[in-house]
Coordinates of all heavy atoms in Angstrom, one line a residue:
M6 N 238.5 84.7 -26.1 CA 237.8 85.1 -27.3 C 236.6 85.9 -27.0 O 235.8 85.5 -26.1 CB 237.5 83.8 -28.1 CG 236.8 84.1 -29.4 SD 236.9 82.7 -30.6 CE 236.9 81.3 -29.6
E7 N 236.3 86.9 -27.8 CA 235.2 87.7 -27.6 C 234.1 87.4 -28.6 O 233.9 88.1 -29.5 CB 235.6 89.2 -27.7 CG 236.5 89.7 -26.6 CD 235.8 89.7 -25.3 OE1 234.7 90.2 -25.2 OE2 236.4 89.2 -24.3
G8 N 233.4 86.2 -28.4 CA 232.3 85.9 -29.3 C 231.9 84.5 -29.0 O 232.5 83.7 -28.3
C9 N 230.8 84.1 -29.7 CA 230.3 82.7 -29.6 C 231.2 81.8 -30.5 O 231.2 82.1 -31.7 CB 228.8 82.7 -30.0 SG 228.2 81.0 -30.2
E10 N 231.8 80.9 -29.8 CA 232.7 80.0 -30.6 C 232.0 79.3 -31.8 O 232.6 79.3 -32.9 CB 233.2 78.9 -29.7 CG 234.0 79.3 -28.5 CD 234.3 78.1 -27.5 OE1 234.1 77.0 -28.0 OE2 234.6 78.4 -26.4
D11 N 230.8 78.8 -31.5 CA 230.1 78.1 -32.6 C 229.7 79.0 -33.7 O 229.7 78.6 -34.9 CB 229.0 77.3 -32.0 CG 229.4 76.3 -31.0 OD1 230.6 75.8 -31.2 OD2 228.6 75.9 -30.1
C12 N 229.2 80.2 -33.4 CA 228.9 81.2 -34.4 C 230.1 81.6 -35.2 O 230.0 81.7 -36.5 CB 228.2 82.4 -33.8 SG 226.5 82.2 -33.3
L13 N 231.2 81.8 -34.5 CA 232.4 82.2 -35.2 C 232.8 81.1 -36.2 O 233.2 81.4 -37.3 CB 233.5 82.5 -34.2 CG 233.4 83.8 -33.5 CD1 234.4 83.9 -32.3 CD2 233.5 85.0 -34.4
A14 N 232.7 79.9 -35.7 CA 233.1 78.7 -36.6 C 232.2 78.6 -37.8 O 232.7 78.2 -38.9 CB 233.1 77.4 -35.7
A15 N 230.9 78.9 -37.6 CA 230.0 78.8 -38.7 C 229.8 80.0 -39.5 O 229.0 80.0 -40.5 CB 228.6 78.3 -38.1
G16 N 230.4 81.1 -39.1 CA 230.2 82.4 -39.8 C 228.9 83.0 -39.4 O 228.4 83.9 -40.2
G17 N 228.3 82.6 -38.3 CA 227.0 83.2 -37.9 C 227.1 84.4 -37.1 O 228.2 84.9 -36.8
R18 N 226.0 85.0 -36.7 CA 226.0 86.1 -35.8 C 225.2 85.9 -34.6 O 224.3 85.0 -34.6 CB 225.4 87.3 -36.6 CG 226.1 87.6 -37.9 CD 225.5 88.9 -38.5 NE 225.7 90.0 -37.6 CZ 225.7 91.3 -38.1 NH1 225.5 91.5 -39.3 NH2 225.9 92.3 -37.3
W19 N 225.5 86.6 -33.5 CA 224.8 86.4 -32.2 C 224.3 87.8 -31.7 O 224.7 88.8 -32.2 CB 225.7 85.8 -31.2 CG 226.9 86.6 -31.0 CD1 227.1 87.6 -30.1 CD2 228.2 86.5 -31.6 NE1 228.3 88.1 -30.1 CE2 229.0 87.4 -31.1 CE3 228.6 85.6 -32.6 CZ2 230.3 87.6 -31.5 CZ3 230.0 85.8 -33.1 CH2 230.8 86.8 -32.5
V20 N 223.4 87.7 -30.7 CA 222.8 88.9 -30.1 C 223.5 89.2 -28.8 O 224.1 90.3 -28.6 CB 221.3 88.8 -29.9 CG1 220.7 90.0 -29.3 CG2 220.6 88.5 -31.3
H21 N 223.4 88.3 -27.9 CA 224.1 88.4 -26.6 C 224.9 87.1 -26.3 O 224.6 86.1 -26.8 CB 223.1 88.6 -25.5 CG 222.3 89.9 -25.6 ND1 222.9 91.1 -25.6 CD2 221.0 90.1 -25.7 CE1 222.0 92.1 -25.7 NE2 220.8 91.5 -25.8
L22 N 225.9 87.3 -25.4 CA 226.8 86.2 -25.1 C 226.5 85.6 -23.7 O 226.2 86.4 -22.8 CB 228.2 86.6 -25.2 CG 228.7 86.9 -26.6 CD1 230.1 87.4 -26.6 CD2 228.6 85.7 -27.5
R23 N 226.6 84.3 -23.5 CA 226.5 83.6 -22.2 C 227.7 82.8 -22.0 O 228.4 82.4 -22.9 CB 225.3 82.7 -22.3 CG 224.0 83.4 -22.7 CD 223.5 84.4 -21.6 NE 222.3 85.1 -22.0 CZ 222.3 86.4 -22.2 NH1 223.4 87.2 -22.1 NH2 221.1 87.0 -22.5
L24 N 228.1 82.6 -20.7 CA 229.2 81.9 -20.3 C 228.8 80.6 -19.5 O 228.1 80.8 -18.5 CB 230.2 82.8 -19.4 CG 231.4 82.1 -18.9 CD1 232.4 81.8 -20.0 CD2 232.1 83.0 -17.8
C25 N 229.2 79.5 -20.0 CA 228.8 78.2 -19.3 C 229.7 78.1 -18.1 O 231.0 78.2 -18.2 CB 229.1 77.0 -20.2 SG 228.8 75.4 -19.3
L26 N 229.1 77.9 -16.9 CA 229.9 77.8 -15.6 C 230.4 76.4 -15.4 O 231.2 76.1 -14.6 CB 229.0 78.2 -14.4 CG 228.6 79.7 -14.5 CD1 227.8 80.1 -13.2 CD2 229.9 80.6 -14.6
G27 N 229.9 75.5 -16.3 CA 230.4 74.1 -16.2 C 231.7 73.9 -16.9 O 232.6 73.1 -16.4
C28 N 232.0 74.6 -17.9 CA 233.2 74.4 -18.7 C 233.9 75.7 -19.2 O 234.9 75.6 -19.8 CB 233.0 73.4 -19.8 SG 231.9 74.1 -21.1
G29 N 233.2 76.8 -19.0 CA 233.8 78.1 -19.5 C 233.6 78.4 -20.9 O 234.1 79.4 -21.5
K30 N 232.7 77.6 -21.6 CA 232.4 77.9 -23.0 C 231.6 79.1 -23.1 O 230.6 79.4 -22.4 CB 231.6 76.7 -23.6 CG 231.3 76.9 -25.1 CD 230.4 75.7 -25.5 CE 229.9 75.9 -26.9 NZ 231.0 75.6 -27.9
V31 N 231.9 80.0 -24.1 CA 231.1 81.1 -24.5 C 230.1 80.8 -25.6 O 230.5 80.2 -26.6 CB 232.0 82.3 -24.9 CG1 231.1 83.5 -25.3 CG2 232.9 82.7 -23.7
A32 N 228.8 81.0 -25.4 CA 227.8 80.7 -26.4 C 226.8 81.8 -26.4 O 226.7 82.7 -25.6 CB 227.2 79.4 -26.1
C33 N 225.9 81.7 -27.5 CA 225.0 82.9 -27.7 C 223.6 82.5 -27.0 O 223.3 81.4 -26.8 CB 224.9 83.2 -29.1 SG 224.4 81.8 -30.2
C34 N 222.9 83.6 -26.8 CA 221.6 83.5 -26.0 C 220.5 83.1 -26.9 O 220.6 82.9 -28.1 CB 221.3 84.9 -25.5 SG 220.8 86.1 -26.8
D35 N 219.3 83.0 -26.3 CA 218.1 82.5 -27.0 C 217.5 83.6 -27.9 O 216.6 83.3 -28.7 CB 217.0 82.0 -26.0 CG 217.3 80.6 -25.5 OD1 218.3 80.0 -25.9 OD2 216.6 80.2 -24.6
S36 N 218.0 84.8 -27.9 CA 217.6 85.8 -28.8 C 218.4 85.7 -30.1 O 218.1 86.3 -31.1 CB 217.8 87.2 -28.2 OG 216.9 87.3 -27.1
S37 N 219.5 84.9 -30.1 CA 220.3 84.7 -31.2 C 219.8 83.6 -32.1 O 219.1 82.7 -31.7 CB 221.8 84.4 -30.8 OG 222.2 85.3 -29.8
P38 N 220.0 83.7 -33.4 CA 219.5 82.7 -34.4 C 219.8 81.3 -34.0 O 219.0 80.4 -34.1 CB 220.1 83.1 -35.7 CG 220.4 84.6 -35.6 CD 220.8 84.8 -34.1
A39 N 221.0 81.0 -33.6 CA 221.5 79.6 -33.4 C 221.3 79.1 -32.0 O 221.3 77.9 -31.7 CB 222.9 79.5 -33.8
K40 N 221.0 80.0 -31.0 CA 220.8 79.6 -29.6 C 221.8 78.6 -29.1 O 221.4 77.5 -28.5 CB 219.3 79.1 -29.5 CG 218.3 80.1 -29.9 CD 216.9 79.5 -29.8 CE 215.9 80.5 -30.3 NZ 214.5 80.0 -30.4
H41 N 223.0 78.9 -29.2 CA 224.1 77.9 -28.9 C 224.2 77.6 -27.4 O 224.6 76.6 -27.0 CB 225.4 78.4 -29.4 CG 225.6 78.2 -30.9 ND1 226.0 79.1 -31.8 CD2 225.4 77.0 -31.6 CE1 226.0 78.6 -33.0 NE2 225.7 77.3 -32.9
A42 N 223.8 78.6 -26.5 CA 223.8 78.3 -25.1 C 222.8 77.2 -24.7 O 223.1 76.3 -24.0 CB 223.5 79.6 -24.3
S43 N 221.6 77.3 -25.3 CA 220.6 76.3 -25.0 C 221.0 74.9 -25.6 O 220.9 73.9 -25.0 CB 219.3 76.7 -25.6 OG 218.7 77.7 -24.9
K44 N 221.6 75.0 -26.8 CA 222.1 73.8 -27.5 C 223.2 73.2 -26.7 O 223.3 71.9 -26.6 CB 222.6 74.2 -28.9 CG 223.0 73.0 -29.8 CD 223.2 73.4 -31.2 CE 223.5 72.3 -32.1 NZ 224.7 71.5 -31.7
H45 N 224.1 74.0 -26.1 CA 225.2 73.5 -25.3 C 224.6 72.7 -24.1 O 225.1 71.7 -23.7 CB 226.1 74.6 -24.9 CG 227.2 74.2 -24.0 ND1 228.2 73.4 -24.5 CD2 227.5 74.4 -22.7 CE1 229.1 73.2 -23.5 NE2 228.7 73.8 -22.5
F46 N 223.6 73.2 -23.5 CA 223.0 72.5 -22.3 C 222.4 71.2 -22.8 O 222.6 70.1 -22.1 CB 221.8 73.4 -21.7 CG 220.9 72.6 -20.8 CD1 221.5 71.9 -19.7 CD2 219.6 72.5 -21.1 CE1 220.6 71.2 -18.8 CE2 218.8 71.7 -20.2 CZ 219.3 71.1 -19.1
V47 N 221.7 71.1 -23.9 CA 221.2 69.9 -24.5 C 222.3 68.9 -24.8 O 222.2 67.7 -24.5 CB 220.3 70.1 -25.7 CG1 219.9 68.8 -26.4 CG2 219.1 71.0 -25.3
D48 N 223.3 69.4 -25.4 CA 224.4 68.5 -25.9 C 225.3 68.1 -24.7 O 225.7 66.9 -24.7 CB 225.3 69.3 -26.9 CG 224.6 69.5 -28.2 OD1 223.6 68.8 -28.4 OD2 225.1 70.2 -29.0
E49 N 225.6 69.0 -23.8 CA 226.6 68.7 -22.8 C 226.1 68.5 -21.4 O 226.8 68.0 -20.5 CB 227.7 69.8 -22.8 CG 228.4 70.0 -24.1 CD 229.2 68.9 -24.5 OE1 229.7 68.1 -23.7 OE2 229.4 68.7 -25.8
G50 N 224.9 69.0 -21.1 CA 224.2 68.8 -19.8 C 224.8 69.8 -18.8 O 224.7 69.5 -17.6
H51 N 225.3 70.9 -19.2 CA 225.8 71.9 -18.3 C 224.7 72.9 -18.1 O 224.4 73.7 -18.9 CB 227.0 72.6 -18.8 CG 228.2 71.7 -19.0 ND1 229.3 72.1 -19.9 CD2 228.5 70.5 -18.5 CE1 230.1 71.1 -19.8 NE2 229.7 70.1 -19.1
P52 N 224.0 72.9 -16.9 CA 222.8 73.6 -16.7 C 222.9 75.1 -16.4 O 222.0 75.9 -16.6 CB 222.0 72.9 -15.6 CG 223.1 72.4 -14.8 CD 224.2 72.0 -15.7
V53 N 224.1 75.5 -15.8 CA 224.1 76.9 -15.3 C 225.0 77.7 -16.2 O 226.2 77.4 -16.5 CB 224.6 76.9 -13.9 CG1 224.7 78.4 -13.3 CG2 223.8 76.1 -13.0
I54 N 224.5 78.9 -16.6 CA 225.3 79.8 -17.4 C 225.2 81.2 -16.7 O 224.3 81.4 -15.9 CB 224.7 80.0 -18.8 CG1 223.2 80.4 -18.8 CG2 224.9 78.7 -19.7 CD1 222.7 80.9 -20.1
R55 N 226.1 82.1 -17.1 CA 225.9 83.4 -16.6 C 226.0 84.4 -17.8 O 226.6 84.0 -18.8 CB 226.9 83.8 -15.5 CG 228.3 84.1 -15.9 CD 229.0 84.8 -14.7 NE 230.4 85.1 -15.0 CZ 230.8 86.2 -15.7 NH1 229.9 87.0 -16.2 NH2 232.1 86.4 -15.9
S56 N 225.5 85.6 -17.6 CA 225.7 86.5 -18.7 C 227.1 86.9 -18.9 O 227.9 87.0 -18.0 CB 224.9 87.8 -18.4 OG 225.1 88.7 -19.4
F57 N 227.5 87.0 -20.2 CA 228.9 87.4 -20.5 C 228.9 88.8 -21.1 O 229.9 89.3 -21.7 CB 229.4 86.4 -21.6 CG 231.0 86.4 -21.6 CD1 231.7 86.2 -20.5 CD2 231.6 86.6 -22.9 CE1 233.1 86.2 -20.6 CE2 233.0 86.6 -23.0 CZ 233.7 86.4 -21.8
E58 N 227.8 89.5 -20.8 CA 227.7 90.9 -21.3 C 228.3 91.8 -20.2 O 228.1 91.6 -19.0 CB 226.2 91.3 -21.5 CG 225.5 90.5 -22.6 CD 226.2 90.8 -24.0 OE1 226.4 91.9 -24.3 OE2 226.5 89.8 -24.7
P59 N 228.9 92.9 -20.6 CA 229.5 93.8 -19.7 C 228.5 94.4 -18.7 O 227.4 94.8 -19.1 CB 230.1 95.0 -20.6 CG 230.2 94.3 -21.9 CD 229.2 93.3 -22.0
G60 N 228.8 94.3 -17.4 CA 227.9 94.9 -16.4 C 226.8 94.0 -16.0 O 226.1 94.3 -15.1
E61 N 226.7 92.8 -16.6 CA 225.6 91.9 -16.2 C 226.2 90.7 -15.4 O 227.2 90.1 -15.9 CB 224.9 91.3 -17.4 CG 224.1 92.4 -18.2 CD 223.2 91.8 -19.3 OE1 223.2 90.6 -19.5 OE2 222.6 92.6 -20.0
T62 N 225.6 90.4 -14.3 CA 226.2 89.3 -13.4 C 225.3 88.2 -13.1 O 225.6 87.3 -12.4 CB 226.7 89.9 -12.1 OG1 225.6 90.6 -11.4 CG2 227.8 90.9 -12.3
W63 N 224.0 88.2 -13.7 CA 223.1 87.2 -13.3 C 223.4 85.8 -13.9 O 224.1 85.7 -14.9 CB 221.7 87.6 -13.8 CG 221.6 88.0 -15.2 CD1 221.7 89.3 -15.8 CD2 221.4 87.1 -16.4 NE1 221.5 89.2 -17.1 CE2 221.4 87.9 -17.5 CE3 221.3 85.7 -16.5 CZ2 221.3 87.4 -18.8 CZ3 221.1 85.2 -17.8 CH2 221.1 86.0 -18.9
R64 N 222.9 84.8 -13.3 CA 223.1 83.4 -13.7 C 221.7 82.8 -14.1 O 220.7 83.2 -13.5 CB 223.7 82.6 -12.6 CG 225.1 83.0 -12.2 CD 225.6 82.2 -11.1 NE 226.9 82.6 -10.6 CZ 227.7 81.9 -9.8 NH1 227.2 80.7 -9.4 NH2 228.9 82.3 -9.5
W65 N 221.8 81.9 -14.9 CA 220.5 81.2 -15.4 C 220.7 79.7 -15.3 O 221.8 79.2 -15.7 CB 220.2 81.6 -16.8 CG 218.9 81.0 -17.3 CD1 218.8 79.9 -18.1 CD2 217.6 81.4 -17.0 NE1 217.5 79.6 -18.4 CE2 216.7 80.5 -17.7 CE3 217.0 82.4 -16.2 CZ2 215.3 80.6 -17.6 CZ3 215.6 82.5 -16.1 CH2 214.8 81.6 -16.9
C66 N 219.7 79.0 -14.8 CA 219.8 77.5 -14.8 C 218.8 77.0 -15.7 O 217.6 77.2 -15.6 CB 219.5 77.0 -13.3 SG 219.5 75.2 -13.3
F67 N 219.2 76.2 -16.7 CA 218.3 75.7 -17.7 C 217.4 74.6 -17.1 O 216.3 74.3 -17.6 CB 219.1 75.1 -18.9 CG 219.6 76.1 -19.8 CD1 221.0 76.4 -20.0 CD2 218.8 76.9 -20.6 CE1 221.5 77.3 -20.8 CE2 219.3 77.9 -21.5 CZ 220.6 78.1 -21.6
E68 N 218.0 73.8 -16.1 CA 217.2 72.8 -15.5 C 216.0 73.3 -14.8 O 214.9 72.8 -14.9 CB 218.0 71.9 -14.6 CG 218.9 70.9 -15.3 CD 219.7 70.0 -14.4 OE1 219.9 70.4 -13.2 OE2 220.1 69.0 -14.8
D69 N 216.2 74.4 -14.1 CA 215.1 75.0 -13.2 C 214.4 76.1 -14.0 O 213.4 76.6 -13.5 CB 215.7 75.5 -11.9 CG 216.3 74.4 -11.1 OD1 215.9 73.2 -11.2 OD2 217.2 74.7 -10.3
N70 N 214.9 76.5 -15.1 CA 214.4 77.7 -15.8 C 214.2 78.9 -14.9 O 213.2 79.5 -14.9 CB 213.0 77.3 -16.5 CG 213.3 76.5 -17.7 OD1 214.1 76.8 -18.6 ND2 212.5 75.5 -17.9
T71 N 215.3 79.2 -14.2 CA 215.2 80.3 -13.2 C 216.5 80.9 -13.0 O 217.6 80.3 -13.3 CB 214.7 79.8 -11.9 OG1 214.4 80.9 -11.0 CG2 215.7 78.9 -11.2
I72 N 216.5 82.2 -12.6 CA 217.7 82.9 -12.1 C 218.2 82.2 -10.9 O 217.5 81.9 -10.0 CB 217.4 84.4 -11.9 CG1 216.9 85.0 -13.1 CG2 218.6 85.1 -11.3 CD1 217.9 85.6 -14.1
V73 N 219.5 82.0 -10.8 CA 220.1 81.3 -9.6 C 221.2 82.2 -9.0 O 221.7 83.1 -9.6 CB 220.7 79.9 -9.9 CG1 219.6 79.0 -10.2 CG2 221.7 80.0 -11.0
Ligands
LIG118 ZN1 226.2 81.0 -31.3
LIG119 ZN1 229.6 73.8 -20.6

């Protein structure tokens, strides 16, 4: 699926997409209104995401608040 699952379910919109490396869930970034990637970390405790944007390969750890 090419989009934030939770935004699609709610009919919302997102800015950029992130991929959870803990479970493979696609969620939206902190620039998006719903911030589902951050919410996913709070809800599920999966700390590491990576960018799901074309050409971007960086990872982010919510626990350390740093690029990993
Ligand atoms: Zn979202
Ligand atoms: Zn996850």
Side-chain angles (χ1 to χ4, degrees):
M6 179 160 31
E7 293 292 314
C9 172
E10 298 171 18
D11 295 334
C12 282
L13 287 169
R18 303 186 62 161
W19 58 86
V20 178
H21 296 299
L22 293 174
R23 306 292 179 243
L24 177 69
C25 175
L26 296 182
C28 67
K30 180 186 176 74
V31 176
C33 54
C34 70
D35 281 356
S36 299
S37 308
K40 301 178 180 173
H41 281 128
S43 291
K44 186 171 184 297
H45 180 67
F46 166 60
V47 172
D48 289 347
E49 303 293 335
H51 299 160
V53 183
I54 56 167
R55 77 166 178 82
S56 177
F57 200 54
E58 296 296 312
E61 294 186 5
T62 58
W63 53 265
R64 298 176 180 194
W65 179 260
C66 178
F67 283 114
E68 278 183 341
D69 297 334
N70 283 315
T71 187
I72 300 274
V73 292

